[in-house]
């Protein structure tokens, strides 16, 4: 059985602890053993990243080193964590002096960043680690007739140097949703705008304005539900008129999990879609 290191970040904390169960259920359904990186720390995205790159490099070199210590690659379902950790890997792998400097610090804990672990998000985990054929073989139920609007969010497509798909014409989310039997709703208004999650700490009104725009666009285009791979986007956009689910919540149900066990019932905006 394949193994992958689960980086929890902040998305699995407090009221969002159910995201860990969603993730482990998803991995189990895909035949992958999740190895929790227990000693990992916050990636610093949206906070430390904006003020001190060296601290962020140290934090995330350590997170990657914890995966390397266990002999596994690193997987995070969070768009922001993916971006920050992938940027750290890129920086250290392209700058030997920076890598050596960071490793001097990690040595105090008996860790070493080697650069051997790959960084995965749900989208490229399915495409590149699990494999699309294996993924499709796990699907037991179809969302026939359900109109689903894909919503990537920002940080898996930007900046370009760590984007996991073509930033101008991404297709991986659509390719993952299509086997679920749904009808894709694409090209809707504000499809590519930001959810505003990080603005909730500095400008809550701006967050409200940003979060509702893609949802309104999807609703106007006839979508029954919006699907995002990012738990932060889900958190920012849940609670408005149009329902939104994490892609892994849809996948888990398509693979046999009861919607309640996929935590659909925790949505602020109720999800009323059927499957067969």
């Amino acid at each position: 059985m394949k193994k992958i290191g689960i980086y929890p970040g902040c998305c699995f904390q407090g009221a969002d602890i159910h995201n860990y169960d969603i993730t482990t259920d998803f991995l189990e359904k895909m035949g992958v053993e999740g190895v929790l990186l227990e000693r990992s720390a916050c990636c610093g995205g949206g906070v430390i990243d904006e003020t001190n790159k060296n601290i962020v490099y140290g934090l995330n070199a350590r997170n990657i080193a914890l995966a390397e210590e266990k002999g596994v690659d690193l997987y995070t379902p969070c768009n922001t964590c993916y971006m920050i950790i992938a940027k750290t890997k890129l920086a250290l792998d392209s700058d030997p002096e920076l890598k050596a400097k960071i490793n001097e610090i990690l040595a105090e804990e008996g860790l070493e960043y080697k650069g051997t672990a790959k960084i995965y998000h749900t989208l490229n985990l399915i495409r590149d680690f699990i494999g699309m054929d294996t993924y499709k073989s796990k699907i037991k139920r179809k969302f026939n007739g359900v109109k689903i609007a894909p919503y990537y969010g920002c940080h898996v497509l930007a900046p370009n140097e760590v984007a996991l798909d073509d930033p101008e014409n991404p297709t991986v989310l659509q390719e993952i949703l299509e086997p679920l039997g749904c009808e894709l709703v694409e090209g809707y208004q504000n499809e590519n705008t930001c959810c505003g999650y990080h603005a909730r700490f500095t400008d809550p009104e701006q967050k409200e304005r940003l979060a509702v725009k893609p949802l309104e666009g999807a609703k106007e285009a006839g979508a029954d539900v919006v699907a995002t791979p990012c738990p932060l986007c889900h958190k920012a956009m849940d609670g408005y008129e149009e329902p939104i689910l994490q892609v892994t919540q849809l996948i888990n149900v398509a693979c046999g999990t009861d919607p309640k066990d996929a935590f659909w019932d925790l949505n602020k905006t109720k999800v009323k879609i059927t499957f067969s």
Side-chain angles (χ1 to χ4, degrees):
M1 177 182 287
K2 289 184 174 181
K3 295 183 179 182
I4 195 76
I6 302 175
Y7 170 75
C10 303
C11 295
F12 296 165
Q13 307 297 319
D16 300 319
I17 190 66
H18 61 283
N19 283 328
Y20 181 72
D21 294 323
I22 292 170
T23 298
T24 53
D25 186 28
F26 160 66
L27 292 175
E28 183 179 335
K29 292 288 192 296
M30 294 297 112
V32 176
E33 180 183 344
V35 179
L36 179 62
L37 305 178
E38 303 98 334
R39 292 153 55 203
S40 58
C42 173
C43 74
V47 186
I48 304 172
D49 181 59
E50 297 179 1
T51 58
N52 193 315
K53 296 293 184 187
N54 286 330
I55 292 178
V56 166
Y57 290 153
L59 281 171
N60 292 296
R62 180 181 178 276
N63 289 330
I64 298 170
L66 290 171
E68 293 177 342
E69 183 181 50
K70 293 179 179 290
V72 292
D73 295 320
L74 185 150
Y75 163 52
T76 176
C78 175
N79 283 19
T80 300
C81 292
Y82 168 81
M83 177 192 70
I84 298 297
I85 297 172
K87 283 169 64 177
T88 293
K89 178 174 174 59
L90 179 64
L92 269 63
D93 289 351
S94 57
D95 187 340
E97 290 185 11
L98 175 63
K99 180 179 176 181
K101 178 181 177 181
I102 294 298
N103 271 330
E104 286 182 11
I105 300 170
L106 296 184
E108 297 177 12
E109 196 179 343
L111 293 172
E112 179 186 3
Y113 172 83
K114 300 175 183 177
T116 55
K118 296 180 180 178
I119 313 303
Y120 287 102
H121 177 273
T122 302
L123 300 182
N124 62 341
L125 187 81
I126 294 173
R127 182 189 64 197
D128 304 330
F129 185 86
I130 296 167
M132 291 299 295
D133 289 341
T134 298
Y135 164 68
K136 292 175 184 178
S137 73
K138 305 295 184 180
I139 297 170
K140 299 177 181 178
R141 297 165 170 167
K142 299 283 188 175
F143 296 101
N144 295 315
V146 178
K147 297 180 180 180
I148 298 181
Y151 179 79
Y152 283 87
C154 303
H155 293 156
V156 291
L157 299 176
N160 286 5
E161 56 266 27
V162 296
L164 54 74
D165 204 356
D166 181 352
E168 300 300 323
N169 185 33
T171 60
V172 61
L173 178 53
Q174 291 90 326
E175 291 166 4
I176 288 169
L177 290 172
E178 282 174 352
L180 303 183
C182 59
E183 179 182 338
L184 295 181
V185 177
E186 301 180 72
Y188 58 91
Q189 191 172 8
N190 296 311
E191 179 179 9
N192 300 314
T193 58
C194 175
C195 74
Y197 176 83
H198 295 288
R200 68 198 293 259
F201 302 106
T202 56
D203 191 344
E205 291 184 0
Q206 183 187 35
K207 177 266 173 187
E208 297 294 323
R209 291 193 299 270
L210 289 170
V212 76
K213 285 183 177 181
L215 295 169
E216 290 178 341
K219 180 176 175 58
E220 289 173 5
D224 297 308
V225 64
V226 174
T228 180
C230 179
L232 294 187
C233 292
H234 177 250
K235 187 171 183 176
M237 297 167 69
D238 184 26
Y240 299 95
E241 188 173 351
E242 182 75 357
I244 182 169
L245 283 172
Q246 295 177 52
V247 171
T248 43
Q249 289 181 285
L250 285 166
I251 292 172
N252 289 352
V253 171
C255 292
T257 298
D258 186 273
K260 185 175 182 180
D261 293 328
F263 300 99
W264 286 20
D265 60 326
L266 295 187
N267 253 39
K268 295 176 183 177
T269 303
K270 297 303 179 184
V271 180
K272 299 177 181 179
I273 59 175
T274 59
F275 50 86
S276 58

